[in-house]
Amino acid sequence: MNIYVGNLAYSVTEDELRSAFGKFGEVSSVNVIVDRGTGQSKGFGFVEMPDSAAADAAMRSLNGTPINGRNIKVNQAKPREARPARGPRY
């Protein structure tokens, strides 16, 4: 199950998320989204857990809890919507 994690402090690392979610079961991947230009976190990320029961437990338990001073928002990630094609870049 793919899990959205929002309201992250900019200092939160993928290892910290892996550790927090790993208490509930196997974590197959963690991805903190960063700005391409600056390399700074955008304040959200995704955690992939193969076991749905463990993912549900993690979402219920971690939603609203603080990590690095900010209460995170946790829910099931929605599929990415198709974006309209952008024009050519010159």
Side-chain angles (χ1 to χ4, degrees), residues 3-6 21 55 58-60 62-64 72-76:
I3 302 167
Y4 167 83
V5 185
F21 282 83
M59 287 189 293
R60 280 193 309 276
L62 293 174
N63 189 38
I72 61 173
K73 306 257 187 266
V74 182
N75 51 44
Q76 186 170 354

Side-chain angles (χ1 to χ4, degrees), residues 39-60:
Q40 181 173 350
S41 168
K42 288 190 170 188
F44 70 97
F46 298 92
V47 175
E48 183 79 35
M49 297 181 77
D51 180 13
S52 293
D56 287 336
M59 287 189 293
R60 280 193 309 276

Side-chain angles (χ1 to χ4, degrees), residues 7-20:
N7 200 38
L8 290 174
Y10 296 131
S11 61
V12 172
T13 65
E14 290 180 355
D15 287 339
E16 289 171 314
L17 282 181
R18 184 178 298 279
S19 174

